[in-house]
């Protein structure tokens, strides 16, 4: 809304300036001058039109040389207002015909602004009664030129201030800084052309125009290259700033010189952070050697691509796919530029898929093995029971053998539980009684192992959708693991609380702990830290919790203990 209003004000202002300029022209111009001084007006128009069309742009700020303005100001001093106005009008018409891409109203507005600035300058000249350039009038003429430039600047600044909704003072500063070189060239050129007109009449003006055009043409190739380079820089800057990847640059000394906004947004580190600290501080120790070797290879001209772990500013680890290439300027490697893509979620998904794939393979294997084992077990058990009835003396040994067969049968059942997707009957239940039942079931084993189990329910615990017996199996597995990790006894604390949209069941033991490199493998089939374990208990636990749309998180420190969080959704 504000932008539309500002644009409307700017257009009203421009229309007012245009009307004032056209009125001044219509009231002050004498068309008879055109007929009386046709050769003079033709030459002035030709020279100013050639300069307006073929002059080159200045490097760095892209301003025009404004040598056509110098001709108008010189003509104003030497030939008066009427000649200057007619030359200006004809020049605008010629330029409009030549540059068809420019719309007509822009030419009219430009013409009107010139008229106002020239008329103000002429009024000052008339006030001083200056007729021709000499040592006595040079100072006054320079002041006249400055009035023209100041008025021209002010007129444009007010328009842009309206258009952009900025203050006029700020806009004047910006435009003056940008155009100061142009104004200086206009000032010097106007004085030079005036001297040429006074001393050599039209020949000096023609020579000035030819020399200016020759300089422009001889340097056109250079300025064209500069323009292309500037365009490439703008393109590069856009690619750097708006790249969806994380982009960073190093110089040859290995110092980080630039990062884009996306780098800051994803990692939390700004460009200012690396002015005080080394870039190496954001990598894990395991990746530091790889980072250094990658830099050395790239700086020698070999592009590199690696997966590297970056530590976020808040401490979490991010997995990145990093591509680093040499930064070549003028056929010399001046540094390196890197592109990183956050693949943390992708890697986690891959790990989950690998685990699911392993589980699927184990399930298929388990189904086959269980089927093959169960048949002979059933036969052996049947014969033992028959023999037990017939031979009472061997009853004791046969009972032991039957117990062992039943244990094998139980292991086979665990295999089958992995293999067959069980139909779960979810009910909305409170987790509190399930925890209490679990503790009651494991209490005798805890007493035998000198383990004290404490339970702490924090606040109100919402009900969740769950399968009671399966959750009980998970909690028993975790509790047993905790007790087995404390061979000399100790404490196990169970904390239950609600957090955001989850119920958290936290098991904290004082056991021997788990090495960090092994934590990631917990839940894999047949991976166990126990001497007599099969490595299926936690596999089943992970599977059950996944079926409940929850997750298990494990933290551990060797010699201190282990914390296992079971997170279950409330809804």
């Amino acid at each position: 809304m504000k932008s539309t209003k500002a644009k409307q004000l700017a257009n009203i202002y421009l229309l007012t300036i245009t009307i004032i300029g056209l009125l001044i022209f219509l009231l002050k111009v004498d068309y008879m001058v055109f007929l009386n001084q046709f050769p003079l007006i033709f030459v002035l128009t030709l020279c100013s039109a050639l300069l307006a069309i073929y002059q080159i742009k200045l490097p760095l700020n892209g301003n025009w040389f404004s040598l056509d303005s110098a001709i108008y100001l010189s003509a104003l001093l030497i030939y008066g207002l009427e000649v200057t106005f007619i030359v200006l009008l004809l020049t605008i018409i010629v330029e409009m015909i030549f540059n068809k891409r420019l719309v007509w109203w822009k030419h009219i507005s430009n013409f009107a602004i010139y008229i106002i600035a020239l008329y103000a300058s002429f009024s000052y000249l008339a006030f001083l009664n200056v007729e021709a350039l000499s040592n006595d009038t040079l100072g006054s003429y320079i002041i006249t030129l400055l009035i023209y430039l100041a008025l021209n600047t002010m007129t444009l600044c007010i328009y842009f201030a309206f258009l952009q909704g900025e203050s006029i003072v700020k806009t004047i500063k910006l435009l003056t800084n940008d155009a100061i070189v142009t104004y200086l060239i206009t000032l010097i050129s106007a004085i030079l052309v005036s001297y040429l007109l006074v001393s050599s009449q039209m020949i000096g003006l023609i020579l000035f125009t030819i020399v200016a055009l020759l300089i422009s043409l001889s340097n056109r190739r250079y300025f064209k290259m500069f323009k292309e380079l500037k365009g490439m820089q703008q393109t590069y800057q856009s690619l750097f700033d708006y790249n969806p990847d994380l982009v960073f640059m190093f110089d040859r000394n290995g110092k980080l010189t630039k990062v884009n906004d996306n780098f800051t947004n994803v990692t939390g580190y700004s460009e200012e952070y690396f002015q005080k600290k080394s870039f190496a501080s954001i990598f894990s120790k395991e990746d530091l050697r790889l980072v250094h070797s990658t830099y050395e290879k790239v700086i020698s001209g070999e592009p590199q691509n690696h997966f590297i772990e970056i530590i976020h500013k808040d401490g979490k680890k991010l997995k990145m796919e990093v591509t680093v290439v040499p930064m070549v300027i003028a056929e010399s490697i001046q540094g390196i530029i890197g592109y990183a893509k956050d693949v943390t979620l992708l890697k986690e998904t891959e790990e989950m898929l690998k685990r699911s794939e392993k589980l699927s393979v184990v399930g298929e294997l388990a189904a086959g093995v269980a089927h093959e084992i169960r048949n002979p077990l059933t036969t052996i058990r049947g014969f033992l029971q028959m023999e037990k009835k017939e031979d009472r003396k061997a009853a004791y040994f046969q009972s032991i053998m039957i117990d062992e067969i039943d244990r094998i049968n139980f292991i086979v059942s665990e295999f089958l539980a992995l293999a067959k997707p069980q139909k779960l009957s979810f009910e909305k239940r409170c987790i509190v009684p399930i925890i209490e039942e679990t503790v009651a079931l494991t209490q005798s084993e805890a007493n035998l192992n000198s383990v004290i189990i404490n339970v702490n329910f924090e606040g109100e615990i919402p009900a969740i959708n769950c399968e009671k017996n399966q959750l009980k199996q998970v909690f028993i597995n975790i509790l047993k693991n905790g007790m087995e990790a404390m061979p000399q006894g100790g404490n196990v604390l169970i904390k239950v609380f609600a957090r955001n949209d989850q119920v958290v069941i936290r098991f904290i033991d004082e056991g021997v702990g788990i090495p960090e490199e092994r934590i990631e493998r917990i839940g894999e089939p047949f991976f166990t830290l126990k001497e007599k374990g099969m490595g299926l208990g936690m596999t089943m636990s992970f599977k059950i919790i996944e079926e409940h749309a929850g997750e298990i998180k494990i933290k551990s420190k060797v010699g201190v203990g282990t914390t296992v969080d079971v997170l279950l959704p409330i809804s």
Side-chain angles (χ1 to χ4, degrees), residues 439-458:
V439 173
L441 286 168
T442 54
Q443 191 63 60
S444 57
E445 189 176 343
N447 293 337
L448 288 171
N449 290 283
S450 303
V451 173
I452 299 169
I453 301 173
N454 295 303
V455 185
N456 184 7
F457 298 105
E458 298 179 3

Side-chain angles (χ1 to χ4, degrees), residues 306-324:
H306 297 290
F307 286 98
I308 292 176
E309 201 169 66
I310 287 178
I311 302 168
H312 190 280
K313 201 171 184 181
D314 63 9
K316 67 181 179 183
K317 293 179 179 180
L318 302 171
K319 288 181 172 61
M320 296 285 174
E321 182 181 5
V322 182
T323 301
V324 194

Side-chain angles (χ1 to χ4, degrees), residues 406-432:
D406 286 340
R407 195 167 75 84
I408 295 169
N409 207 30
F410 173 75
I411 293 169
V412 170
S413 297
E414 283 203 323
F415 270 117
L416 285 172
L418 279 174
K420 293 179 182 178
Q422 298 179 25
K423 188 177 180 181
L424 301 178
S425 178
F426 285 94
E427 292 180 302
K428 199 158 192 177
R429 291 176 176 274
C430 181
I431 203 79
V432 173

Side-chain angles (χ1 to χ4, degrees), residues 55-70:
Q55 64 191 323
I56 58 171
K57 287 188 176 181
L58 281 172
L60 305 179
N61 55 9
N63 288 311
W64 294 102
F65 272 150
S66 294
L67 298 181
D68 52 335
S69 299

Side-chain angles (χ1 to χ4, degrees), residues 482-509:
M483 288 189 282
E484 288 170 7
M486 298 185 292
Q488 306 303 320
N491 295 298
V492 174
L493 173 62
I494 304 173
K495 294 173 72 176
V496 185
F497 55 91
R499 182 178 63 192
N500 299 330
D501 57 350
Q502 292 178 318
V503 170
V504 181
I505 304 97
R506 178 169 291 167
F507 298 83
I508 306 169
D509 67 49

Side-chain angles (χ1 to χ4, degrees), residues 12-153:
I12 292 168
Y13 168 77
L14 191 62
L15 182 62
T16 305
I17 290 292
T18 303
I19 292 169
I20 293 169
L22 292 175
L23 284 173
I24 292 171
F25 176 77
L26 292 171
L27 292 172
K28 295 297 179 180
V29 74
D30 183 357
Y31 292 102
M32 290 304 295
V33 174
F34 178 73
L35 298 173
N36 296 333
Q37 301 192 49
F38 177 76
L40 170 67
I41 289 171
F42 176 79
V43 174
L44 286 170
T45 301
L46 178 65
C47 291
S48 58
L50 285 170
L51 288 174
I53 294 167
Y54 293 107
Q55 64 191 323
I56 58 171
K57 287 188 176 181
L58 281 172
L60 305 179
N61 55 9
N63 288 311
W64 294 102
F65 272 150
S66 294
L67 298 181
D68 52 335
S69 299
I71 290 175
Y72 302 140
L73 290 168
S74 304
L76 193 69
L77 174 68
I78 309 301
Y79 302 114
L81 192 66
E82 290 85 355
V83 170
T84 308
F85 278 5
I86 292 169
V87 170
L88 176 60
L89 175 64
L90 293 174
T91 304
I92 292 287
I93 292 169
V94 172
E95 190 181 1
M96 187 165 60
I97 293 168
F98 187 85
N99 294 322
K100 294 178 182 178
R101 65 183 180 277
L102 296 175
V103 292
W104 61 271
W105 66 264
K106 286 185 179 179
H107 284 290
I108 293 174
S109 298
N110 191 34
F111 172 71
I113 292 168
Y114 263 117
I115 290 292
I116 292 170
L118 288 170
Y119 180 70
S121 302
F122 177 79
S123 298
Y124 185 74
L125 281 171
F127 175 75
L128 293 174
N129 198 23
V130 175
E131 293 181 0
L133 195 67
S134 66
N135 291 332
D136 297 332
T137 59
L138 182 60
S140 300
Y141 181 55
I142 290 172
I143 295 171
T144 305
L145 297 182
L146 292 173
I147 289 171
Y148 165 81
L149 297 175
L151 190 60
N152 195 34
T153 304

